[in-house]
Amino acid sequence: MNQQDLESRFQDKIDREVKIEAKDWMPDAYRKTLIRQISQHAHSEVVGMLPEGNWITRAPSLRRKAALLAKVQDEGGHGLYLYAAAETMGVSRDQLLDELHTGKAKYSSIFNYPALSWADMGAIGWLVDGAAIMNQVMLQRTSYGPYSRAMIRICKEESFHQRQGYEILLTLVRGSAEQKAMAQDSLNRWWWPSLMMFGPSDAESTHSAQSMAWKIKRKSNDVLRQAFVDATVPQAQYLGLTIPDPDLKWNEETGHWEFGPIDWDEFWNVVKGNGICNRQRLRDRVNAHEEGAWVRDAALAYAEKKQARKAVVTP
Ligand code: BYC
């Protein structure tokens, strides 16, 4: 079969909603796009453990500590499913990690902002996980089978993350004036970066058109961002908090919340490595990897020992 026939058969499968599996033929550019997106996603999950991991020892009660610990562990697990999904495309985990550690690979801009107060654990769960879910629900139906299946499990866990964050804020806004102010300050700092998580506007998004045609992405950056704003404004109102956007207003005709302009200079500055915490996050990630080398070595030695024993028992 020539290249053109292979490509049209591939696109036909996508159009018929048949999942593409690891051993199926696929265009090189499809493979490349998926390795890029899945690995960026995996990196985001593991770098995303850092801002919250920082608060585990300072959680205000045993219950809060247990929930936060479980959430951070879940993020590590998400990284694992996603690295495994990327590996099915023929790339090694070592290579992907190397790209992260040398600053070549991207991860979500949001994790380059500092978590300054306990209320930030609430805002991260509510807004950051909330934005992540909005994007990931559509990724459950992405065209690549292993990615789609990983996303189904991840989405279930993300819902718990979002609720635990919202509940932290609900408790704070019902507390003292100082606690409510802490919650408001947190919303002020996390609102705009959360909107940036969805990526550049559709007009500026380089990959969207092709990724939509391949059904890797099923909804555009702007459509998802709007859905997030529409879902989140009433939640902020219920908390009695003010979204830091003077242009925010309800449009009766469209049935959507209109919002003010996003500071794209800030977004690109963070993406290019110059956000408040970029350097610190990378340094912490590299240190964690190096300090964990003995665990990987031990696991490998154990696996080799088991393999060798099996070879002796079963001739
Ligand atoms: N940050 O053409 P575009 C989580 C880059 S973590 C940094 O629209 P695409 C959690 C983009 O990569 C959830 N870079 O790209 C964990 C591209 O650059 P390259 C993370 C960004 O791929 C712990 C360029 O800008 N979720 O749940 O079509 C605790 C042009 O963009 C960002 C995912 O990763 C950004 N925000 O669409 C709590 C979801 N946005 O690659 C929570 C999977 C864009 O050409 N990813 N860029 O150098 C996606 O759905 C898509 O990749 C995106 C971007 C919607 C993010």
Side-chain angles (χ1 to χ4, degrees), residues 36-37 40-41 44-45 48-49 52 71 75 106-109 111 124 128-129 132 135-136 138-139 147 158 196-200 205-208 211 217 221 267-268 271:
R36 178 187 62 80
Q37 178 167 326
Q40 284 176 0
H41 194 164
S44 304
E45 299 284 354
M49 296 166 81
E52 290 173 299
K71 178 186 190 294
E75 309 298 0
K106 290 194 171 73
Y107 58 85
S108 184
S109 49
F111 301 115
I124 291 176
V128 177
D129 287 88
N135 166 280
Q136 289 169 353
M138 68 142 181
L139 291 176
Y147 192 24
E158 296 287 18
M196 293 174 196
M197 277 179 78
F198 294 93
S205 166
T206 39
H207 302 292
S208 276
S211 288
K217 284 165 89 165
N221 298 359
F267 171 73
W268 290 116
V271 171

Side-chain angles (χ1 to χ4, degrees), residues 139-295:
L139 291 176
Q140 295 179 114
R141 294 188 299 114
T142 195
S143 56
Y144 186 54
Y147 192 24
S148 146
R149 290 188 286 274
M151 290 318 307
I152 292 170
R153 179 147 175 194
I154 291 176
C155 279
K156 286 187 184 149
E157 294 174 353
E158 296 287 18
S159 312
F160 146 69
H161 298 171
Q162 201 263 357
R163 281 180 204 183
Q164 72 89 38
Y166 194 73
E167 203 233 344
I168 288 175
L169 290 179
L170 202 53
T171 308
L172 288 175
V173 298
R174 288 173 178 167
S176 65
E178 206 184 350
Q179 284 171 314
K180 187 165 181 186
M182 201 202 288
Q184 180 64 55
D185 170 64
S186 192
L187 171 58
N188 293 348
R189 285 180 291 105
W190 290 93
W191 175 253
W192 290 105
S194 298
L195 296 197
M196 293 174 196
M197 277 179 78
F198 294 93
S201 69
D202 293 350
E204 301 295 321
S205 166
T206 39
H207 302 292
S208 276
Q210 183 59 75
S211 288
M212 300 276 277
W214 280 330
K215 296 187 182 170
I216 292 174
K217 284 165 89 165
R218 318 276 315 213
K219 288 183 181 173
S220 80
N221 298 359
D222 285 334
V223 164
L224 289 170
R225 191 170 6 249
Q226 184 65 58
F228 172 74
V229 173
D230 291 342
T232 311
V233 172
Q235 294 168 352
Q237 288 172 335
Y238 187 76
L239 290 170
L241 296 177
T242 308
I243 289 184
D245 179 356
D247 296 326
L248 192 71
K249 64 170 188 291
W250 174 248
N251 184 325
E252 195 67 55
E253 267 171 45
T254 61
H256 292 296
W257 284 92
E258 286 174 4
F259 53 95
I262 291 173
D263 183 349
W264 292 115
D265 288 343
E266 175 181 323
F267 171 73
W268 290 116
N269 193 44
V270 174
V271 171
K272 285 181 186 140
N274 302 315
I276 309 173
C277 296
N278 291 63
R279 284 168 194 81
Q280 182 191 338
R281 297 290 185 240
L282 264 196
R283 196 186 57 227
D284 289 350
R285 219 26 265 159
V286 169
N287 285 345
H289 188 71
E290 285 171 0
E291 283 165 18
W294 68 272
V295 179

